[in-house]
């Protein structure tokens, strides 16, 4: 009869502090020495940190409403970014772009300038932290190269830590994506073809001057005004209901407030506009509406039955994008 082998004592696994546990494959043994797979041990904590959703990722940044609009509504736009402490040596500028070719997270131009893409899939629930990580890697990338997508640390800095809070945020809306290349007029081959395809797919969009977060866009049958607002949601819906019940929620003949949606923690009312109403024509009535809205927001009397019905209609038509 074969003799049973006694189990051999194993050397004690090295103790690793939580903050020192490296990231490994989900099915690999956890580096902490617990004997469990990474996904069932420290990987679970990392996954929770990566997926915890930050409702308002751009809160605290100058121009929060425009950040949301450029992320969700505007096809082609750029905005210069100002870093705390100024630009590093060899980096003449940092520019936010709605989207970059090949969906690159960022790009370092030949002259050292940085383009940071906004409309990209992100690795965590905190868009601000993801963008900050990409920005830091772009600043360290050699000129003339794109920045690849990577998973970042859950405790890294956010945009609010890297950008100057006192700087203005002034988006420039473009009719196409010529800002991708430094000499778009002389682009040839695949570069020219890519620009042509991207430009053909872009919906004509314009920013309404003087109204943060307000953007006109052209659609085949009717145009729209979509206005990202930073007002508290319940207060804003009450104000919109008051105006709707009073017949003061439109932007002129043939226009209609059709509802709203949420994006990155902010409410975005939407109006249908006649196809002949362009951005220039809607600017003045939109400014007048902003004054009416300010008055309605300052009213705190209980809603009337008619206003409550109007509010219910607005609420029922509300959707959430993010």
């Amino acid at each position: 009869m074969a003799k049973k082998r006694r189990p051999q004592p194993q050397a004690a696994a090295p103790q690793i502090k939580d903050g020192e546990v490296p990231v490994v494959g989900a099915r690999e043994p956890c580096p902490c020495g617990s004997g469990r797979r990474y996904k069932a041990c420290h990987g679970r904590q990392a996954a929770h940190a990566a997926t915890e959703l930050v409702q308002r990722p751009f809160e605290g940044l100058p121009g929060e409403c425009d950040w949301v609009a450029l992320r969700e509504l505007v096809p082609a736009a750029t905005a210069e970014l100002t870093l705390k402490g100024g630009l590093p040596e060899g980096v003449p500028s940092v520019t936010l772009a709605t989207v970059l070719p090949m969906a690159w997270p960022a790009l370092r131009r030949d002259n050292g300038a940085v383009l940071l893409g906004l409309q990209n899939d992100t690795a965590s629930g905190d868009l601000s932290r993801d963008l900050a990580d990409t920005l830091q890697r772009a600043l360290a990338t050699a000129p003339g190269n794109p920045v690849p997508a990577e998973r970042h640390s859950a405790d890294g800095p956010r945009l609010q830590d890297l950008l100057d809070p006192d700087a203005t945020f002034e988006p420039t809306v473009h009719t196409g994506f010529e800002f991708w290349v430094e000499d778009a007029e002389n682009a040839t081959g695949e570069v020219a073809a890519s620009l042509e395809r991207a430009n053909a797919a872009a919906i004509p969009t314009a920013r309404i001057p003087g109204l943060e977060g307000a953007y006109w866009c052209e659609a085949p049958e009717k145009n729209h005004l979509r206005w990202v607002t930073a007002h508290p949601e319940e207060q804003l819906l009450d104000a919109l209901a008051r105006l709707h019940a009073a017949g003061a929620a439109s932007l002129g003949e043939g226009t209609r407030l059709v509802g709203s949606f949420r994006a990155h923690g902010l409410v975005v009312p939407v109006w249908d506009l006649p196809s002949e109403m362009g951005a220039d024509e809607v600017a003045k009535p939109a400014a007048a509406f902003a004054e009416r809205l300010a008055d309605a927001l300052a009213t705190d009397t209980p809603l009337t039955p008619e206003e409550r019905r109007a509010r219910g209609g607005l609420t029922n038509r509300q959707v959430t994008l993010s």
Side-chain angles (χ1 to χ4, degrees), residues 108-302:
R108 187 87 186 272
R109 290 195 188 279
D110 291 338
N111 67 354
V114 168
L115 288 178
L116 176 66
L118 181 58
Q119 295 179 10
N120 291 313
D121 292 335
T122 57
S124 81
D126 187 352
L127 181 56
S128 176
R129 200 179 305 279
D130 292 336
L131 288 167
D133 176 77
T134 301
L135 174 56
Q136 287 187 311
R137 290 189 291 114
L139 293 171
T141 295
N145 290 283
V147 178
E150 290 183 7
R151 184 166 60 178
H152 64 82
S153 170
D155 58 357
R158 308 179 73 238
L159 286 175
Q160 289 82 345
D161 302 316
L162 303 182
L163 301 183
D164 185 349
D166 298 321
T168 58
F169 185 76
E170 193 69 25
T172 299
V173 177
H174 304 279
T175 57
F177 296 91
E178 284 73 17
F179 62 84
W180 281 353
V181 294
E182 296 179 85
D183 189 14
E185 292 183 359
N186 296 318
T188 59
E190 182 57 32
V191 173
S194 297
L195 278 174
E196 185 176 354
R197 288 193 298 268
N199 289 346
I203 297 174
T205 302
R207 187 182 183 213
I208 304 302
L211 299 176
E212 181 184 343
Y215 289 81
W216 168 94
C217 72
E218 180 181 324
E221 296 183 359
K222 62 184 70 174
N223 299 336
H224 304 285
L225 178 71
R226 298 175 291 187
W227 196 337
V228 185
T229 67
H231 303 297
E233 181 173 345
E234 296 303 314
Q235 185 182 0
L236 176 64
L237 290 176
D238 281 353
L240 291 175
R242 295 180 196 277
L243 294 174
H244 191 276
S250 76
L251 302 176
E253 185 177 355
T255 71
R256 185 169 69 98
L257 174 64
V258 293
S260 63
F261 61 89
R262 300 184 193 91
H264 302 289
L266 302 183
V267 179
V268 188
V270 180
W271 286 262
D272 280 349
L273 310 174
S275 57
E276 64 272 13
M277 187 177 236
D280 292 338
E281 289 78 19
V282 79
K284 187 174 180 179
F289 175 84
E291 295 180 0
R292 299 196 298 274
L293 179 63
D295 292 337
L297 287 166
T299 303
D300 58 4
T301 57

Side-chain angles (χ1 to χ4, degrees), residues 4-78:
K4 291 184 179 180
R5 295 181 61 186
R6 294 182 180 179
Q8 299 297 311
Q10 296 181 348
Q15 296 299 309
I16 303 178
K17 297 179 180 178
D18 286 355
E20 299 173 348
V21 176
V23 175
V24 297
R27 301 177 67 84
E28 295 181 38
C30 187
C32 75
S34 66
R36 292 180 292 173
R37 290 178 177 176
Y38 178 70
K39 70 176 182 179
C41 192
H42 280 84
R44 180 181 299 172
Q45 300 173 17
H48 176 74
T51 57
E52 189 173 356
L53 180 64
V54 175
Q55 297 290 340
R56 289 180 63 175
F58 306 119
E59 185 176 14
L61 291 174
E64 179 188 5
C65 296
D66 283 316
W67 276 89
V68 172
L70 265 58
R71 166 74 181 184
E72 299 295 338
L73 308 178
V74 184
T78 56

